[in-house]
Amino acid sequence: MLILECPYCGVQADETELHAGGEAHLKRFGPDSSEEDFEGYLFVRENPKGVHLERWRHSAGCGKWFHAARCTMTLEVFGTYPAQTLAPPKYIVERIKDKRPGWSWRNFS
Amino acid sequence: MSDLATVSRAPARGMITLRGDFTSAKLKRAVKAATGHAVPKSGRIAGDGHKGVAWMSPDELLLMVPYADVASTVDKIASDMGGTHYLTVDVSDARAVFSITGPDANEVLARLCPVDLHKDSFAIGDFRRTRLAQVAAAFWRHDTGFDVVCFRSVADYAEGVLQRSALASKTGAL
């Protein structure tokens, strides 16, 4: 059972109380963008066997979206953080790199 | 079979959803005037189901007042909040309330909700929005048990699962 701490309520929410929202930190490309950018925004996703940054919604709780850093292979959770950000906080990146030296994910490493 | 606790449906209560900025002095004063209690910390309820205020999310409170006082309370909040950005909705008739009373009331809920309901983890005055079997619900612990709030559209379902859960024998795990 995957348990994530909601950064807004502080509750330990198990996955049945949450809704997965796909990849985090996507940049939207709208109508005036190039075909390549639009395709990237719409279709191209990371699919790591390892630490992934994801969006989750505390759907049965406070209803807020948040981000989580989680290993897709071991389910180890490296931390959750509020959605009002463009990048994962430093302390989470450091925690990931401590355990997974050389980790990188899109533009973050 | 034994009865862990008594589940009963409570009469409709006056409930108002209030959304706004919790740090605003106007909102704090409006909540105090409406319920007699200050804005609670996250995961807590101040007061009780008849006159109280519960923390629903970082920008949402559930105000509880006597059913007959809802309209006047909403009007009073409107005048207290002045030009501030906020939202109130009278949700009294959209909700169903159940009381679970008895020493093992926490076991009834623990079968249905993914929440640690040991008295050391979930004390009197703690409030939690979560999942009750397959529907959304919120509850808090008080002196004699728990009060559960859910949408009225799923009240029959909620009553059924709560009653069924209360029939089980005590596990003693909590």
Side-chain angles (χ1 to χ4, degrees), chain A residues 15-28:
Chain A
E15 60 183 282
T16 62
E17 207 179 298
L18 302 168
H19 186 83
E23 188 174 321
H25 305 300
L26 291 178
K27 187 184 176 195
R28 181 175 182 273

Side-chain angles (χ1 to χ4, degrees), chain A residues 47-65:
Chain A
N47 184 22
K49 181 183 180 185
V51 181
H52 194 25
L53 304 179
E54 298 174 309
R55 300 198 311 149
W56 286 84
R57 181 170 175 260
H58 193 190
S59 53
C62 65
K64 301 293 180 200
W65 285 97

Side-chain angles (χ1 to χ4, degrees), chain B:
Chain B
M1 287 232 217
S2 64
D3 281 293
L4 286 175
T6 309
V7 176
S8 55
R9 185 160 174 182
R13 292 180 184 167
M15 293 190 184
I16 301 162
T17 290
L18 170 64
R19 298 193 87 139
D21 176 6
F22 289 2
T23 59
S24 128
K26 277 186 179 173
L27 184 135
K28 288 179 186 170
R29 275 200 300 274
V31 169
K32 184 93 185 165
T35 64
H37 297 279
V39 175
K41 289 201 174 70
S42 75
R44 297 282 296 170
I45 179 171
D48 57 32
H50 301 283
K51 195 93 173 168
V53 52
W55 190 96
M56 296 287 272
S57 88
D59 57 359
E60 181 178 342
L61 295 171
L62 182 65
L63 311 184
M64 286 173 280
V65 297
Y67 189 81
D69 298 348
V70 170
S72 59
T73 307
V74 170
D75 289 346
K76 176 76 168 55
I77 293 171
S79 66
D80 286 348
M81 293 300 283
T84 319
H85 180 66
Y86 80 102
L87 175 142
T88 47
V89 185
D90 172 6
V91 292
S92 315
D93 296 316
R95 300 281 165 83
V97 183
F98 298 95
S99 287
I100 309 174
T101 51
D104 298 315
N106 57 348
E107 285 217 7
V108 175
L109 279 176
R111 284 162 201 276
L112 303 168
C113 306
V115 180
D116 179 1
L117 288 163
H118 191 278
K119 64 180 185 328
D120 294 341
S121 314
F122 200 87
I124 290 172
D126 279 352
F127 180 92
R128 172 81 185 250
R129 279 173 89 177
T130 184
R131 172 180 68 81
L132 178 85
Q134 297 183 49
V135 296
F139 54 77
W140 66 93
R141 191 197 278 266
H142 50 68
D143 297 341
T144 52
F146 290 83
D147 274 14
V148 181
V149 176
C150 69
F151 289 112
R152 197 182 61 169
S153 55
V154 294
D156 288 349
Y157 171 82
E159 184 164 17
V161 290
L162 287 170
Q163 295 284 13
R164 182 68 211 166
S165 175
L167 285 176
S169 349
K170 184 176 162 70
T171 65
L174 287 176

